[in-house]
Structure formats: structure tokens, C-alpha cells
Amino acid sequence: MAIRLGLGLPQTRQYDIGRDVPEVARAAERTGYESLWVFERILFPEPATQGLYGIPGLPWPDQYRAVADPLVTLALAAAATERARLGTSVLVAPLHVPFQLARGLATLDAASGGRVVAGLGTGWSLDEYAAAAVAPFERRGAVLDEVIDVCRAVWGPDPVAYEGSLTTIAPSAVGPKPKRPIPILLPATSARARRRLVDRADGWMPVGAGAEALAEQWRLLRETAAERGREEPVRSVLRVNTQHTRAPYEGGNRRPFQGSVEQIAEDLAAHAAVGVEEILIDLQGGARDAAELTDLAAEMYTAARVAGV
């Protein structure tokens, strides 16, 4: 059975958000993509306190200079589509007030007929934390835990009541409710993160950086699930950040998902063989406008299926 494929929506500075998001979303659904995804970057520091992903000296990509709000982007896509699931990969949980985030996701799910998938993470940018976080960077794990708790409470039956370090909800009716339980997906790059995922989340959202590395991460996650007695299957959505080139990449140090459509499709097949259920393909950085992104997405979908994905 073919793996499910998703597409990253246009959020970066070369796109007209109000026009291009609905256009790309409709085209992706017609092509066969089963899900549409957004990411979160709230600012572009000049100069940055730290390098990209916290790696010293690694520059931030220029496309991060203007990234559209993820939930607004998904709302535009929801109104333009009928079937595709609407996912976040990922929302930086500590940049959001937990109660308001829970209500926003619930409202989007209700409005879209039950299509939201909530990918949550803790982020890495100290500049973003300084601008918007609800707690210091050092408390990021605890904040993520509270966000998950508040979401589960708000999405559950009334009366909703919760008492945490950031959130107090007196017994209240809180609506609208999601159309169905919204799945929560988390990254898991450490032993602690794997335990959190196994104990508290519905699924896993890794980033593609090589099939062997993915297989090892998947093995560790399954071992953690077995150790902690989890019987419910762990859903999996692999995020793929592509570096598309119009001609095949011929260098000897080609990274996964770098090169032509055909080369990227081969990498997709290798990663799919590890056993993930779905792959989110983000192509927006390599396209000049929505028309090019739409054409590239269709070409990539066909190439992936030809490659056996």
C-alpha cells in the first residue's frame, strides 16, 4: 500500500499568502496529497543570538525573514479544501498561551470537519523565546507538558477544569469542541523526549536526515514504547526539507533530499522503507512563486509514486 504524502504550504516571503495558500492547497488536494502542513518561525534576528538550530555559525536561511502565521495559513487552506488533513510541523509550544492555543486548534478542527493534526515542539531559538515565550527557555519541556495537558482538557468534555503553573481554568464550558480527538505528534531526539512521546502523544514527527539515522531513531522509539508498556501504535509523519535543483546534483557529498526531483524521489523511497506511515514534503523554498510550487509538487508526487513510495 502506498505511503501517504503531504505537502508543505507556501508561507515564506516570495508568496502572496491570501492568494497562493488557497491556490496551492486546492491543487495539492487534486494531485493526491493527503495532508497540508505548516511550520513556525516568528522572527529573523539581525544579528542572531545563535546559529540555525542552535548550531554556532550556521546562518539562518533568508526565507525565514517573513513566515506567515501557521494557524492563519491553515485556516486559509481549510476553507479551500475538502479532504486533506491540516497539520503543524511544528508549532513551538512555549511561544503560545496554552489555553488560547488549545481553543484555536479546536476551532480550526471544528471548522474543517475534523482534519487537524497538532505537531508540537519546544523550538531552539533564544531570540524567539525572548520575544514571545510564556516561560524561560530552561522550562521548555515543562511548558510543552502543560500545553499537552491543557489541550487534552479543553478538547474534552465540559466542565473543563485545570490547575497548572501557567494555566488555571475554573470549571467552565469551553467550546467549540474538536470534531474528533485531535492527534498530537512530537519530535523525539532524546531519551526524555522519547519517553514523553510514548507516554503522552499519539505520534512521532521526525525530520529526514538519512534513512539509516531514521531507522535507528525508529528502533529506539519502539524499544521505549515496549519498555513503558505502550500497546497503542505510534503514528509517524516524516518531515522532509528539500533542496531542489533543476539539474541532477552531481557532487560527491550530496545530502538527503538534495538534487533533482528524481534524486529526491529516490531518497523518499529509501526513507519510506524504514516504515513511516506518511511523508511531508516541503518544497516551498525551491520555488519562485505559487505556479512553480504547484508544478513542482505535482512532478514530485508522480516521481515519488514511480519510485515506489
Side-chain angles (χ1 to χ4, degrees), residues 103-223:
R103 286 201 69 244
L105 289 168
T107 300
L108 181 60
D109 193 74
S112 66
R115 293 190 279 151
V116 172
V117 179
L120 304 175
T122 55
W124 49 267
S125 170
L126 299 178
D127 293 292
E128 290 185 334
Y129 268 75
V134 297
F137 185 76
E138 293 73 22
R139 292 188 56 207
R140 61 194 182 278
V143 175
L144 175 57
D145 285 336
E146 182 157 329
V147 167
I148 294 172
D149 286 342
V150 171
C151 284
R152 301 291 196 200
V154 167
W155 300 341
D158 293 329
V160 174
Y162 180 82
E163 181 70 39
S165 63
L166 298 170
T167 311
T168 298
I169 308 173
S172 305
V174 181
K177 298 297 184 184
K179 190 74 174 178
R180 89 299 187 229
I182 297 174
I184 293 177
L185 276 59
L186 302 175
T189 56
S190 68
R192 175 181 289 184
R194 286 191 292 272
R195 291 192 295 270
R196 175 185 287 116
L197 191 158
V198 165
D199 293 347
R200 316 200 63 217
D202 301 289
W204 180 41
M205 181 156 276
V207 176
E212 290 185 6
L214 179 67
E216 176 62 11
Q217 293 170 18
W218 193 210
R219 181 188 68 80
L220 292 170
L221 186 57
R222 291 198 305 270
E223 286 183 356

Side-chain angles (χ1 to χ4, degrees), residues 194-278:
R194 286 191 292 272
R195 291 192 295 270
R196 175 185 287 116
L197 191 158
V198 165
D199 293 347
R200 316 200 63 217
D202 301 289
W204 180 41
M205 181 156 276
V207 176
E212 290 185 6
L214 179 67
E216 176 62 11
Q217 293 170 18
W218 193 210
R219 181 188 68 80
L220 292 170
L221 186 57
R222 291 198 305 270
E223 286 183 356
T224 303
E227 291 167 359
R228 301 181 78 79
R230 175 168 174 150
E231 297 181 359
E232 181 184 359
V234 176
R235 300 175 54 167
S236 54
V237 180
L238 173 70
R239 181 182 181 89
V240 167
N241 298 314
T242 66
Q243 290 183 297
H244 172 250
T245 57
R246 288 165 180 81
Y249 186 89
E250 297 179 352
N253 58 342
R254 187 179 76 87
R255 295 187 295 275
F257 308 111
Q258 179 183 29
S260 67
V261 165
E262 291 74 20
Q263 288 175 314
I264 294 171
E266 291 175 2
D267 293 334
L268 291 172
H271 285 68
V274 172
V276 294
E277 299 171 302
E278 185 167 1

